[in-house]
Amino acid sequence: MKLVTAVIKPHKWEDVREALETFGVAGMTVSEVSGYGRQKGHTEVYRGAEYDIALVPKIRIEIVVEDADASDIVDIVVKTAQTGRIGDGKVWVIPVDSVVRVRTGDKDEAAL
Amino acid sequence: MKLVTAVIKPHKWEDVREALETFGVAGMTVSEVSGYGRQKGHTEVYRGAEYDIALVPKIRIEIVVEDADASDIVDIVVKTAQTGRIGDGKVWVIPVDSVVRVRTGDKDEAAL
Amino acid sequence: MKLVTAVIKPHKWEDVREALETFGVAGMTVSEVSGYGRQKGHTEVYRGAEYDIALVPKIRIEIVVEDADASDIVDIVVKTAQTGRIGDGKVWVIPVDSVVRVRTGDKDEAAL
Amino acid sequence: METGMHAWTLIAASLVLMMTTPALALFYGGMSRSKSVLNMMMMSFSAVGIVGIIYVLWGWSMSYGEQDVALLFNNPFETFGLQGVGGASLIAVGFQMTFAIITAALISGAVADRLKFSAWVLFLPLWLTLSYFPLAHMVWGGGFLSDATNGLADLLGSAAPIDYAGGTVVHINAGVAGLVLAIILGKRLGFGKEPIKPHNLPLTMIGAGLLWFGWYGFNVGSIVIDTELDAAGQTAQFLSETSLVWLNTTVCAAAAVVGWMVVEKIRHGKATSLGAASGVVAGLVAITPACGSLSPVGSLALGVVTGALCALAVGLKYKFGYDDALDVVGVHLVGGLVGTVAIGLLATDGGLFYGDGVSLFVTQVAVALFAMLWSAVATLIVALIVKAVIGLRVDEETEIEGVDFAEHGETGYDFGASTGRGRGTLGTTSTKVKEGAGA
Amino acid sequence: METGMHAWTLIAASLVLMMTTPALALFYGGMSRSKSVLNMMMMSFSAVGIVGIIYVLWGWSMSYGEQDVALLFNNPFETFGLQGVGGASLIAVGFQMTFAIITAALISGAVADRLKFSAWVLFLPLWLTLSYFPLAHMVWGGGFLSDATNGLADLLGSAAPIDYAGGTVVHINAGVAGLVLAIILGKRLGFGKEPIKPHNLPLTMIGAGLLWFGWYGFNVGSIVIDTELDAAGQTAQFLSETSLVWLNTTVCAAAAVVGWMVVEKIRHGKATSLGAASGVVAGLVAITPACGSLSPVGSLALGVVTGALCALAVGLKYKFGYDDALDVVGVHLVGGLVGTVAIGLLATDGGLFYGDGVSLFVTQVAVALFAMLWSAVATLIVALIVKAVIGLRVDEETEIEGVDFAEHGETGYDFGASTGRGRGTLGTTSTKVKEGAGA
Amino acid sequence: METGMHAWTLIAASLVLMMTTPALALFYGGMSRSKSVLNMMMMSFSAVGIVGIIYVLWGWSMSYGEQDVALLFNNPFETFGLQGVGGASLIAVGFQMTFAIITAALISGAVADRLKFSAWVLFLPLWLTLSYFPLAHMVWGGGFLSDATNGLADLLGSAAPIDYAGGTVVHINAGVAGLVLAIILGKRLGFGKEPIKPHNLPLTMIGAGLLWFGWYGFNVGSIVIDTELDAAGQTAQFLSETSLVWLNTTVCAAAAVVGWMVVEKIRHGKATSLGAASGVVAGLVAITPACGSLSPVGSLALGVVTGALCALAVGLKYKFGYDDALDVVGVHLVGGLVGTVAIGLLATDGGLFYGDGVSLFVTQVAVALFAMLWSAVATLIVALIVKAVIGLRVDEETEIEGVDFAEHGETGYDFGASTGRGRGTLGTTSTKVKEGAGA
Ligand SMILES: Nc1ncnc2c1ncn2[C@@H]1O[C@H](COP(=O)(O)OP(=O)(O)O)[C@@H](O)[C@H]1O
Ligand SMILES: Nc1ncnc2c1ncn2[C@@H]1O[C@H](COP(=O)(O)OP(=O)(O)O)[C@@H](O)[C@H]1O
Ligand SMILES: Nc1ncnc2c1ncn2[C@@H]1O[C@H](COP(=O)(O)OP(=O)(O)O)[C@@H](O)[C@H]1O
């Protein structure tokens, strides 16, 4: 199995979720993170002091999938989350040794 | 070494922490995440507009452990976090190349 | 490629970011997490009830890098985030199968 | 005027000012999303700033004075800059100023998340000048909607109109303006599709509570002492009228909370806190014109009905597709109409239900309609002017990113680490301080 | 009544209403966990709604009137719906209504996180009817706990009881009711084991500050002008009595802040903000019955003692194992008892420490005990009725998930991304709008 | 004194108390980082506690009385513990007490994030005794800065000084004290390098709004009735003077909001909410001494200028390198100076611009300078004493971790899971309850 981790722009989250759902992804784990990269942050001013905010908000999605599905899922995310503008994010794939579903104790493929 | 990642129900966190401590886990990294899966979210109503909240709050625990301990730790988490109801979560294991303790520079097993 | 994950003390974040930037790291993904380990938390008192807070705030940094850079980056983080006091954090390295840049669809090394 | 009445007016004026900053700013701010809370509050704060200035310049003069123009407004230059106004009448200026301020600020609820701040700043003086000052003159300054000769009621031959504290001038006026602006501006991105929910309901509830508190100044402070009475008579009027108005205000708001909660319970199975807070405001809006004319039990009935009606009315925007973001229409326009019209039914002196026929009812409906028309036309003109000059709506990216940062360069909150141990360490890198500061 | 006194009553009544919404709602809301902040605030808002209605219907009539029943309550139908009540006495109705509202709302602190909202809605009218209105009648309406013939003090042959602004009727009453409910309801899941800490202390501090502000209306507004005096005498009474009460109220609260902080510093090494906010309220509770009888220095002493005692008393729930979530007992019952009894010692006219013997002290203790007994029995009866009819406690899952969502379908906050740049993007998927809205 | 004037004083005193808790606590708390919000608020709450006590003991006596010492202060033992003070003058004590409280609390803005709480607790009584009470005596108690014989103006032979509501005693005094403390304490870690931004701007805006509301008590309550007038004359004075002061206060604050926003728009391209909130306070500070002497249009001018000047002045700390964290200097010292000096120019009676020469201007400048000098020396002495006895600054680790936890053992917020569905589950493990509680 593989762990697909996608870091995307927040306003693309709904689209990506929908596309993955259509594809048949049954579960994922999502969190709010901050990204640092080419995309520049912004400047805020408080009583005459200017602050450069280097980080931009991103959504991180983690999905454990069967080996065979990994590349399809990467493709779906890339296609759906793409705006063509800097800061669209990254998707990476990591090998997973094993997975368990806590509720039932099901292992590996059966746990997804 | 392995990285065990567990996504569990928030109210099981205390139990899991205690069980892991008893087993001898000395450290872990925890974060608040949102889960998407079989467990349905809920509906909120604001002045006549109903919102389906698809995500449910979860706790994600990350533990880097020696190869030998990985499966025991998975078992402990599964046993302790299990309520038998949908949404109990997932635990997965990933191979780790190396670990360092920042304070001392200790490497690998010595860093845990 | 490798995924370097660093869990560090929050007030070291700025230093680490700067050091990594100097080294040439172009992007990373950052989140606020809680650490559990040797470093003890603190006690809070609310109207006569004392609460032990076991968790301490940490910053988690994730960087996908070329194989060759991984160990340099680990070294940089360790050097910069080190205060020598308990709780400085951990850095671990995980193998990565593939990476894609969402904006362009660039793969692997080209995506970094 | 006795010192006691004056002391009450001082506090009443202070209370009404407080209704805008911070009460309304909180009520609206909490209902918006966290990326636009500051912009929402800024629309209230800037309203105090800008209206505070123009009211002194020509607002008072356009509303009250001796130089009426066609029963529609007063000569703006008669007491421009308050020249010639002095002594105790300055507090009347102050009291009326606070009404102009809150009326303008109320409108901001309809345009949340997408109006350019510069457009708001330009909108304010124009709208006050074309819509608010004339309506204040017409209703309270002896103009077309008062009991003046050749006024609307006079022309209709019906009873003198009643608007104790601003059902038409304030609520119907703001509600119509909100509706017109919401339509011209268009819907927020994602309206009706994506979730756009309140980001901080406790803020909204503070706001509702403080609005209620301030409303005592608004309603009870609106008493007009009958100067034809002798001192004892004036005292008696002050004592009994303010007591009745205070109680009616309270009872109607309380009953509207219950009315709103009941509708929610029936329709959604749950009574919500946003509903309770909204019920407070709806009840207060409805009792505003009626507070001097009803019995406490009449106010109770008005409250229940208004709470229920407004709870239904806030759904209209989804049906008709205008995006009145924070329900200025559903609460202020509908509540204001209900209250204004209910006077024709429930007034203990003149109401249809008290056997006094339809004369008052006819007047109230006619006045409400005329006020709506005036407000709609005036707002339309102002909106088109502002649109032509600097444009109304922020661009799409700004709207998604949030108006707070784009329009004000700030973000509402920085709580830092998620453990509850706020730090604010993350998220920023360097501070550059503007050099050369200092006078 | 002079216009100045009347103006003061108008603002005083407004202030006391503001004590419940938003002040108490904030004070309690901030202390609860973020998953139940809205429910906590809703208990206050619904109290205003429901009590506001029933007070007009039979509350005033049961408390005050000419048709006393056994010195325990007044005929509820005498002035049902306020028929026959008019003129300036309507503000007296309003002022007293706000006391009934806040007393009921105070109780909600004891039942945080686990009471069904429907149970609360049913509890309110029953409890007011069985406990509050009778006690108000007994203490202020000329009943058994006043100086009436055959009243308790008369039977004991001791001095006339003193309760300036509601030590018994409000604080002891609410405190006992909270205790009884907390015991019947049982402990919150995790009480004494898991951390259950305040989720938003700044909210609690806003609440404490606004409660203090409102308390001036509560105490200083409770003056009863001696109608046997001539106009000049009444003015003199108004001027000097309100001045004393204002200052005593302030000094006692200030001293209680210090008293609480000192105890904390000694026991835990640190003075906390929750302690300071609690000290404010404790001091205000204690001075409530005593504010007209003490000297400023006496008030200072009472404040320090009360602050210290209540700082200790909030720990009692852990010792005795009742889960009085937000310390209604530790602050209102204990503070109310300290203040009521202290009058017997510190009253400049009648106090033991001023050489006037134990007569007043005996009365105060007896009145306090009787009020506790009445309140306990009445609350018990009401609680058992509500339990039988719809049940008191939410189920375990609801309690863990949080009452806000389960009972009100809402969540308090949605700050969005953790970078401080709130977005509220995550966490939701689709909006379905109820169709068919609109009247 | 008539009942109406008295009623106004009662509410005015209540309003000024409310300015510190919660208004100032919120204004400052929101501007601090989330790790020090509670400490910030505690400095206000503890100020009420401690100053409330010492004012009764020797504060009033040092400020007002018959036993003047060298025109600098009054004998602290003359009415120690308020012995001999009674009747309606107790509200004068209360009113003045609230001024002492807020002046002390204002200083806390300069020392945010790094002052030991114990140092603050010790600082308060010393500073009040050496700086505030003497200055109050000098300006309002017939001392050196009043129009007394051998007073400063008398010695200079210039016009009698004007400080209607506390430009010198309150704002210049607090501003200078803040500056001195900020310099002695040194900069916060990371000042000028790391981002140190407000953690909760809506809190700051609530604070600004409530400060404005309270300021009506502050300014309009500061009227001194001319006892040489007959009853009708006193009534007339009350009516017209309070009306003017109310309106001037409002207009100046409104204009200052606009002034500040314009400067920001020009310098940074955006008007900010922190700027608007700061403009409110700056305008109110400037009008404080001047509110009885200007015309409404004069107040408007003063507001615009002050808003603009203070918007520039808050940048001075970066230029000169003192870390006045929340801009006590930039807002209160600068605003206080502008207002005090502007009287010499803009007073309709005595101002240079009204053709009355420089006499008043000279007085105002001299008084301001003397007050600054006194305050600087007094604060320096007190700061050095406190530093010697217990030290001023927390250690570095505490400052990084946050003073809230280190000094008060608490954290401001616990919102739980980031999905907006607060839980507060994470972050804690076990509850140990202090045993042995209970009296
Ligand atoms: N090497 C990396 N490792 C982990 N995350 C990265 C890395 N590079 C970029 N990211 C994440 O991807 C996001 C987008 O990257 P950015 O360089 O801004 O734009 P783009 O990918 O379009 O060139 C960043 O905000 C960050 O969260
Ligand atoms: N394929 C997956 N990859 C990552 N996380 C997952 C995946 N499937 C489920 N999860 C996580 O596990 C949680 C529980 O899954 P769910 O399907 O609701 O229940 P169950 O595991 O009991 O069948 C989800 O909320 C999500 O956080
Ligand atoms: N086995 C582990 N797996 C994952 N994270 C760990 C592990 N051990 C420690 N950590 C993280 O590293 C942080 C520092 O560890 P700690 O034991 O407190 O100090 P130190 O590393 O200096 O001995 C912890 O707060 C936690 O976030």
Side-chain angles (χ1 to χ4, degrees), chain D residues 268-326:
Chain D
H268 303 289
K270 288 171 185 177
T272 70
S273 65
L274 180 59
S278 308
V280 165
V281 176
L284 292 166
V285 167
I287 198 67
T288 292
C291 54
S293 314
L294 271 51
S295 73
V297 171
S299 303
L300 202 159
L302 177 61
V304 172
V305 170
T306 306
L309 284 180
C310 288
L312 296 170
V314 291
L316 291 174
K317 67 180 175 192
Y318 299 109
K319 201 163 179 178
F320 293 111
Y322 59 90
D323 184 7
D324 169 25
L326 311 183

Side-chain angles (χ1 to χ4, degrees), chain A residues 7 34-39 56 58 85-90 92, chain C residues 27-29 62-64 101 103 112:
Chain A
V7 176
S34 301
Y36 177 87
R38 278 187 193 75
Q39 186 191 1
V56 289
K58 300 281 169 200
R85 282 187 295 187
I86 283 178
D88 276 354
K90 304 263 149 58
W92 60 81
Chain C
M28 44 196 158
T29 297
E62 291 170 296
I63 323 171
V64 182
R101 182 196 310 282
R103 172 162 50 96
L112 300 179

